[in-house]
Amino acid sequence: MLSPELNVDLHCHSTISDGVLAPADVAARAKANGVDAWALTDHDEVRGIPQARAAALDLGMRFVTGLEISVTWAGRTIHIVGLNIDETNEELLNGLAMTRSGRQLRAEDMAADLAKAGIPNVYKGALKYVGNPDLISRSHFARYLVEIGVCEDVHSVFKHYLTEGKPGFVPHRWATLAEAVGWIRRSGGVAVVAHPGRYDLSPVAFDAFFREFKAYGGTAIEVVTGSHTHDQFYEYTKIANRYGFAGSRGSDFHSPDDKSVDLGRLPPLAKSLTPVWADWF
Ligand code: AMP
Ligand code: MN
Ligand code: MN
Ligand code: MN
């Protein structure tokens, strides 16, 4: 068992999904920021893992295989991080290919809706930011909208565009919760609810969600994440302990230009929690 001071970051993105740095450059930045154990968790993709692993091992960081799967639950989008998976598992790969497959048409529909709102050519503009043609994301649209001065930063784009009820939003059906947790578990991994504080669910709906997640074999939630406030670190520590979930820690880093938490720059998990990595390092 390693010291609780170990700097663990198990959530971030590269150009293989909607991050702006290549996997090896994310590894280098994590190392420079003092990260000891690291996972790259691209959206619905595992194709960055070989480069990420090689870079991490070169740099002397412990490496955990990971990804972040988009799920639709009760009409909401929820993200499930998978850690310590076998990224060559066929069922997982097929499931991810299916999950990615609607992104292209959705992007075209998003651009059409933005054009109706008076912002033309966003599809072409967003493509400049896309590193993986199978993974066009709202983040790429957001970066282009910042580039052309529609909003000051990515965060404010999501306040005014691309979200429910706003221009550029197109509803989408992702994987089911049972599928995502099943793919992760059957590829040998641990399923983790990503940034639970970001979902707009009532306490009753949250309880139903956590029970269902647990029934499918989910065992952890992110507690210390770049998406949570300090109050939410405490809130989700209590929730993890109440449901018997392990806790995870991750920045959700996407870009050095975002005004968000950088790799490894997070408080430690509370001592009362079982870290999701307890058996790994
Ligand atoms: P998509 O998977 O195409 O729906 O895109 C979702 C991505 O958009 C997330 O993974 C985040 O990177 C980004 N995103 C969503 N909401 C926000 C927000 N409020 N602020 C900043 N980025 C966001
Ligand atoms: Mn993202
Ligand atoms: Mn997420
Ligand atoms: Mn993420």
Side-chain angles (χ1 to χ4, degrees), residues 13 18 43-44 68 70 79 103 106 136-139 154-155 158-159 163 174 198 254:
H13 300 273
D18 61 348
H43 297 286
D44 308 321
E68 182 177 19
S70 314
H79 286 171
R103 281 185 177 270
R106 170 194 186 230
I136 181 160
S137 138
R138 284 186 293 161
S139 297
V154 163
H155 190 72
F158 284 97
K159 280 198 193 138
T163 49
W174 302 107
R198 260 173 60 176
H254 284 71

Side-chain angles (χ1 to χ4, degrees), residues 43-44 68-72 77-80 99 103 174-176 180:
H43 297 286
D44 308 321
E68 182 177 19
I69 303 181
S70 314
V71 161
T72 301
T77 297
I78 305 268
H79 286 171
I80 302 294
T99 307
R103 281 185 177 270
W174 302 107
T176 67

